[in-house]
Amino acid sequence: MNASNAFQAGSRMVNRHSGRTQLDDMEKRILQLGVKNRRLMRDIMQNAEALRATKEAVMISKTHMHQLWQQLNELRILHHCPYP
C-alpha cells in the first residue's frame, strides 16, 4: 500500500468515525428533544387543568354576583329605594 492509498484508507476511517459521531450526536439531540417535548406536554396539561379550574371559579363568581344583584334589587323594591 503506498502513502496515497494509506492516506485514503485513513481518511475513510476518520470519515466513518466522524459520521458515527454525527449520528451519535443526532441521536442524543433527538433524545433531548423527546425529553423537552414530554416536559412541555406536562406543562400544557397542567396549564389546561389550571385554566379549567379558573374558568369554573369565574363561572361560580359570576353566578354569585348575579344572585347578589338580584338580592340588591329585591331589597331596593322592599325598602322603596330608588335605583341609582
Side-chain angles (χ1 to χ4, degrees):
M1 182 186 294
N2 64 27
S4 177
N5 289 342
F7 176 78
Q8 288 176 352
S11 179
R12 281 193 299 272
M13 286 178 58
V14 168
N15 285 340
R16 273 193 223 123
H17 176 71
S18 175
R20 183 70 217 155
T21 301
Q22 287 177 342
L23 290 175
D24 290 344
D25 290 347
M26 208 176 208
E27 182 179 355
K28 185 188 301 183
R29 183 68 182 134
I30 290 168
L31 292 172
Q32 289 171 344
L33 288 172
V35 169
K36 184 177 181 179
N37 285 345
R38 284 189 293 280
R39 189 179 323 116
L40 289 171
M41 187 55 74
R42 184 195 69 221
D43 292 347
I44 287 169
M45 296 305 290
Q46 288 173 349
N47 288 342
E49 177 59 26
L51 181 60
R52 186 203 60 73
T54 301
K55 181 179 176 184
E56 184 178 328
V58 167
M59 295 305 292
I60 290 168
S61 180
K62 283 176 71 174
T63 300
H64 187 235
M65 186 175 66
H66 181 71
Q67 291 170 347
L68 290 174
W69 275 116
Q70 283 181 324
Q71 289 174 5
L72 178 61
N73 287 334
E74 290 169 6
L75 287 171
R76 282 186 174 142
I77 292 170
L78 181 65
H79 294 286
H80 308 289
C81 295
Y83 288 93

